[in-house]
DNA sequence: TAGGCCATCTGGTCCT
DNA sequence: AGGACCAGATGGCCTA
């Protein structure tokens, strides 16, 4: 950062000697006020830029989330929640893929203490979830009801679960997006 | 018109 | 000292 090139005083050098006595204090207060205002303006500018950067990052995040172009833009909080759940779902997908590769039987999966995983069929349908029943979607994206599970909402929500009614229209109705936040 | 979302300003606090 | 970060306040815009 620049060393805040101490902005040259607006006073011209010749007048320095004259306007001294008696008014010194008042003048310095004016200067102080000016400096204060200047610092505030600079701070506001930085804060504005900071928020713009934050919004840019949020836009970048929105752009990688699976929604339709004609869907209403996700709000900030919706974007964060959706991303959180989306990452969780992808993680589950990878985990299930690993299980499949290791040829773990369904009975083994059912016995897993962590969580009853969604059906393989459900995962295979991930790219075209329209045929998945609501309860299967629930099993994939709504693990919050299972005690001890690592819910996608655990770290983001405090006590309050994100109901379907809170979700943006695209996520509530689009068959290609996650039907619910929980 | 109320409520939600957002941008901006502002003062406080922490860090370098 | 100055910058980054944060949270509260405020006002504008939009929608049901």
């Amino acid at each position: 950062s620049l060393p805040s090139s101490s902005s040259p005083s607006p006073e011209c050098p010749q007048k320095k000697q004259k306007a001294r006595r008696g008014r010194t204090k008042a003048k310095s207060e004016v200067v102080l006020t000016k400096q204060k205002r200047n610092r505030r303006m600079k701070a506001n500018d930085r804060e504005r830029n900071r928020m713009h950067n934050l919004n840019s990052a949020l836009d970048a995040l929105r752009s990688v989330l699976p929604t339709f172009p004609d869907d209403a833009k996700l709000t900030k909080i919706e974007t964060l929640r959706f991303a959180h759940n989306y990452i969780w779902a992808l993680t589950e997908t990878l985990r299930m893929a690993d299980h499949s590769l290791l040829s773990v039987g369904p009975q083994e999966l059912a016995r897993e203490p962590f969580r009853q995983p969604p059906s393989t069929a459900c995962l295979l349908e991930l790219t075209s979830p329209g045929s998945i029943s609501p309860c299967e979607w629930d099993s994939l994206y709504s693990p919050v009801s299972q005690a001890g599970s690592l819910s996608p909402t655990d770290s983001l929500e405090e006590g309050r679960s994100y109901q379907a009614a809170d979700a943006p229209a695209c996520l509530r109705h689009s068959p290609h997006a996650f039907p619910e936040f929980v």
Side-chain angles (χ1 to χ4, degrees):
Chain A
S1 61
L2 295 172
S4 69
S5 56
S6 53
S7 54
S9 165
E11 333 290 331
C12 59
Q14 294 103 316
K15 287 179 182 176
K16 258 185 184 174
Q17 301 246 337
K18 276 193 176 178
R20 248 189 192 172
R21 201 171 294 171
R23 310 193 59 168
T24 307
K25 190 179 178 184
K27 191 178 174 184
S28 68
E29 278 177 1
V30 169
V31 170
L32 237 56
T33 306
K34 272 188 176 178
Q35 283 180 341
K36 205 173 173 181
R37 201 191 319 153
N38 194 36
R39 274 200 298 270
R40 229 316 107 193
M41 285 174 66
K42 281 166 72 176
N44 288 347
D45 209 41
R46 284 194 305 273
E47 178 65 8
R48 224 177 297 127
N49 283 332
R50 197 180 69 85
M51 294 310 293
H52 287 169
N53 287 337
L54 193 61
N55 288 337
S56 296
L58 215 47
D59 282 337
L61 181 58
R62 270 190 201 102
S63 71
V64 298
L65 293 177
T67 59
F68 287 136
D70 54 337
D71 282 334
K73 182 184 176 184
L74 295 177
T75 66
K76 292 180 174 183
I77 188 66
E78 284 167 352
T79 301
L80 291 176
R81 284 171 173 154
F82 187 21
H84 188 253
N85 286 4
Y86 186 44
I87 290 169
W88 174 85
L90 293 179
T91 303
E92 283 297 286
T93 304
L94 286 176
R95 196 174 65 84
M96 289 304 300
D98 280 348
H99 274 294
S100 295
L101 287 176
L102 293 174
S103 303
V104 175
Q107 65 276 19
E108 292 291 328
L109 292 178
R111 216 182 301 146
E112 185 189 358
F114 174 60
R115 167 188 324 125
Q116 168 90 30
S119 69
T120 306
C122 179
L123 290 169
L124 290 175
E125 294 278 351
L126 193 57
T127 54
S128 55
S131 61
I132 299 176
S133 71
C135 72
E136 277 180 303
W137 274 111
D138 283 348
S139 75
L140 180 55
Y141 302 112
S142 308
V144 70
S145 61
Q146 313 216 8
S149 72
L150 183 62
S151 155
T153 61
D154 280 350
S155 62
L156 213 57
E157 295 292 311
E158 290 178 356
R160 176 184 169 273
S161 50
Y162 196 58
Q163 303 299 328
D166 298 328
C170 62
L171 299 175
R172 284 200 303 271
H173 306 307
S174 163
H176 288 52
F178 304 112
E180 286 194 15
F181 294 118
V182 176

